[in-house]
Amino acid sequence: MFKRLFQKSDATGKPPLHFLHIGKTGGTAIRHALKDDEATGQFQLVMHSHPTTLSDIPRGEGVVFFLRDPVSRFVSGFWSRFRKGRPRYHVPWNKMEEQAFSRFQTPLELAEALGSEASDERTAAEAAMNGINHVRFRYSAWLGSVEQLEMRLEDVFFVGFQESLATDFRLLIPRLGVSDSLTLPGDGNAAHKTPAHLKQALSETAAANLRRWYSDDYELLEYCKTVAAGINSEPGSDDGRANG
């Protein structure tokens, strides 16, 4: 699966390995854990920011990304932008976010409004969903459609999931060839986690509205779950292809 991946190398003599940072899927914690080891191990790690997508990565170069249940990701994304990214960051609201947060104060309010029988409430909710950063971006923005991702599957080195972040990180470490003493940050600020005191519970109605809104994301998520076991069990460069 990784023949082309191991033929590529940069000035360090190591194959580049790209980490896509899909918003609110655990990428900040991963980047923090690996920040001092980007040039160690078997690969030259390339840690990308949010705007970089799979289509930006040259064919034949390896890619790592993490995903998350879209409903959970929505809640995290809403609170992140509601707080303007604080305390780790401070990114002011754009005009659409100002309008959204003046009307919807919690993820529950916004998600339930998506199915409102009142057209003005539903229209405002749809505008908020399309205006709030993190919330408005779907997995296809990074990965394309299922068919497009399938065409790049031989470049996918590892697929992780936020729900099993610690376990998947431990599985990834030996494949990278970096120190097995590396750990994910325990500090919520470093990992950019949603503070525990914020309300995160959704009603079934709200969750159902979100599942319909993010139906394409669920299609990509389920496809990635299907292929992840096979991809993540690959032996990396231990198969002797690292030099040829």
Side-chain angles (χ1 to χ4, degrees), residues 153-175:
L153 203 60
E154 65 178 0
D155 293 336
V156 178
F157 181 80
F158 191 90
V159 180
F161 302 94
Q162 188 273 342
E163 292 81 0
S164 54
L165 188 65
T167 300
D168 288 349
F169 182 71
R170 299 316 309 168
L171 186 62
L172 175 62
I173 287 301
R175 295 201 59 196

Side-chain angles (χ1 to χ4, degrees), residues 1-9 13-16 42-43 60-62 157 175 234-244:
M1 179 175 290
F2 299 111
K3 182 177 180 180
R4 289 194 299 158
L5 167 64
F6 292 122
Q7 288 179 339
K8 294 278 186 175
S9 62
K14 298 177 181 180
Q42 303 178 58
F43 302 95
E61 297 187 6
F157 181 80
R175 295 201 59 196
E234 288 287 336
S237 63
D238 290 340
D239 60 3
R241 289 179 291 179
N243 297 316

Side-chain angles (χ1 to χ4, degrees), residues 31-108:
R31 289 165 63 92
H32 186 275
L34 294 173
K35 62 184 175 63
D36 296 325
D37 287 80
E38 294 182 13
T40 65
Q42 303 178 58
F43 302 95
Q44 178 65 36
L45 305 184
V46 185
M47 312 301 285
H48 292 286
S49 57
H50 292 310
T52 302
T53 70
L54 180 59
S55 64
D56 296 321
I57 306 303
R59 286 184 176 272
E61 297 187 6
V63 179
V64 175
F65 59 86
F66 280 71
L67 299 176
R68 179 182 193 170
D69 182 89
V71 171
S72 172
R73 180 172 174 265
F74 160 81
V75 172
S76 179
F78 180 99
W79 284 126
S80 177
R81 290 307 303 137
F82 189 83
R83 305 187 327 267
K84 301 179 181 178
R86 295 189 295 252
R88 182 178 177 85
Y89 308 107
H90 178 72
V91 181
W93 292 337
N94 59 42
K95 290 185 177 179
M96 296 184 72
E97 288 173 327
E98 288 180 3
Q99 295 174 357
F101 293 128
S102 69
R103 184 156 187 162
F104 304 106
Q105 299 292 300
T106 68
L108 175 62

